[in-house]
Amino acid sequence: MPVEEFVAGWISGALGLVLGHPFDTVKLLGFFKGMSFPIASIAVVNSVLFGVYSNTLLVLTATSHQERRAQPPSYMHIFLAGCTGGFLQAYCLAPFDLIKVRLQNQTEPRAQPGSPPPRYQGPVHCAASIFREEGPRGLFRGAWALTLRDTPTVGIYFITYEGLCRQYTPEGQNPSSATVLVAGGFAGIASWVAATPLDMIKSRMQMDGLRRRVYQGMLDCMVSSIRQEGLGVFFRGVTINSARAFPVNAVTFLSYEYLLRWWG
């Protein structure tokens, strides 16, 4: 099994996260709040995503990454490989994403004279607290919504990227840097537009149980959210998600492609 895709995914994921993390915390206390933990975790998860995607395509088409420009895989193969990568990514990501969301949503002020300490002192303390207070299943709170979010949307993600690259690249050639940047950026936007409704549900499920249980499950969360806030609640945050998605995924794909060309 080729490992270059895993390593390239790890590095490109870290670079994309450095660029996109301020958007994740734009409404919170600081642009780079809680960044050290996501940089380590999301790089590993991105490694799984790109590694599984590329190796699934290898199984489906018997062509390596370098051969796919001359022998492009079908869009069905790309979608299936993307869905496989998205499913396994979600499985690996669930505990890390939960901890990230909990840390970023802390509203307690930083240590000041007379102020109470934050609920969580860091990622390890956060994980231990969730495990102690909510049990092992607590670390996977919101995992079903995350899996439903990532499985089809990652398929859309890779189809959009490959489709734009093919449209603006002469047959048999590698896409230019500009094409990769634009295709990667629009792939990120397409996937996040599709993912935002379930991302909202995922975040609410992850925060549920922090003080008291509000929802009985994912379906109850969806119904309660619609009843209280209307259908528009499912697209709350789509603008900031799209603004974040374009530069992050442009950089992610550019670094991924260049690393594989360099190693190839």
Side-chain angles (χ1 to χ4, degrees), residues 92-110:
C92 297
L93 179 61
F96 296 119
D97 191 63
L98 172 67
I99 293 167
K100 184 196 77 168
V101 168
R102 291 282 180 95
L103 288 174
Q104 287 183 333
N105 279 276
Q106 287 193 133
T107 56
E108 295 91 339
R110 294 185 183 275

Side-chain angles (χ1 to χ4, degrees), residues 2 38 50-51 79 107 135 194 199 226 231 258:
F50 279 88
F79 183 74
T107 56
D199 187 65
I226 294 173
L231 288 173
Y258 267 87

Side-chain angles (χ1 to χ4, degrees), residues 4-24:
E4 292 90 348
E5 289 86 355
F6 289 94
V7 178
W10 189 93
I11 296 172
S12 62
L15 291 173
L17 179 70
V18 170
L19 183 63
H21 193 73
F23 289 95
D24 279 340

Side-chain angles (χ1 to χ4, degrees), residues 2-264:
V3 298
E4 292 90 348
E5 289 86 355
F6 289 94
V7 178
W10 189 93
I11 296 172
S12 62
L15 291 173
L17 179 70
V18 170
L19 183 63
H21 193 73
F23 289 95
D24 279 340
T25 55
V26 70
K27 294 182 180 179
L28 302 170
L29 296 179
F31 278 151
F32 292 95
K33 180 182 180 183
M35 185 172 180
S36 59
F37 176 70
I39 240 185
S41 59
I42 207 66
V44 173
V45 170
N46 214 60
S47 172
V48 171
L49 171 61
F50 279 88
V52 170
Y53 167 74
S54 190
N55 282 281
T56 302
L57 270 184
L58 179 62
V59 171
L60 292 173
T61 65
T63 56
S64 67
H65 181 84
Q66 289 77 15
E67 298 169 328
R68 286 175 201 145
R69 295 304 171 196
Q71 305 174 55
S74 70
Y75 286 116
M76 178 58 71
H77 284 154
I78 292 170
F79 183 74
L80 290 175
C83 288
T84 303
F87 178 83
L88 292 176
Q89 171 195 250
Y91 180 79
C92 297
L93 179 61
F96 296 119
D97 191 63
L98 172 67
I99 293 167
K100 184 196 77 168
V101 168
R102 291 282 180 95
L103 288 174
Q104 287 183 333
N105 279 276
Q106 287 193 133
T107 56
E108 295 91 339
R110 294 185 183 275
Q112 296 176 355
S115 65
R119 181 183 181 91
Y120 303 123
Q121 304 300 316
V124 175
H125 180 256
C126 180
S129 298
I130 294 171
F131 186 87
R132 182 178 61 254
E133 296 168 8
E134 304 173 44
R137 292 180 62 185
L139 288 169
F140 288 87
R141 191 175 300 281
W144 274 114
L146 184 64
T147 302
L148 290 174
R149 184 196 76 177
D150 284 0
T151 300
T153 56
V154 173
I156 294 170
Y157 177 66
F158 282 109
I159 279 184
T160 304
Y161 174 73
E162 289 292 338
L164 289 172
C165 282
R166 290 182 192 181
Q167 184 172 354
Y168 296 104
T169 303
E171 187 175 352
Q173 296 185 21
N174 288 320
S176 66
S177 297
T179 298
V180 170
L181 285 169
V182 172
F186 278 106
I189 290 176
S191 64
W192 267 110
V193 168
T196 294
L198 278 167
D199 187 65
M200 183 277 295
I201 296 297
K202 172 197 73 77
S203 296
R204 294 192 174 192
M205 292 296 296
Q206 288 172 327
M207 294 304 296
D208 194 31
L210 186 60
R211 291 181 175 83
R212 65 183 181 86
R213 291 293 302 275
V214 177
Y215 307 115
Q216 300 303 311
M218 189 172 69
L219 182 60
D220 181 53
C221 180
M222 294 174 65
V223 172
S224 298
S225 298
I226 294 173
R227 184 182 300 122
Q228 296 172 15
E229 302 169 66
L231 288 173
V233 69
F234 289 115
F235 291 95
R236 188 173 298 165
V238 69
T239 301
I240 190 67
N241 283 340
S242 297
R244 174 190 183 277
F246 191 96
V248 167
N249 291 283
V251 168
T252 296
F253 271 108
L254 184 66
S255 55
Y256 177 75
E257 292 282 0
Y258 267 87
L259 284 167
L260 289 182
R261 290 178 199 175
W262 181 61
W263 283 323

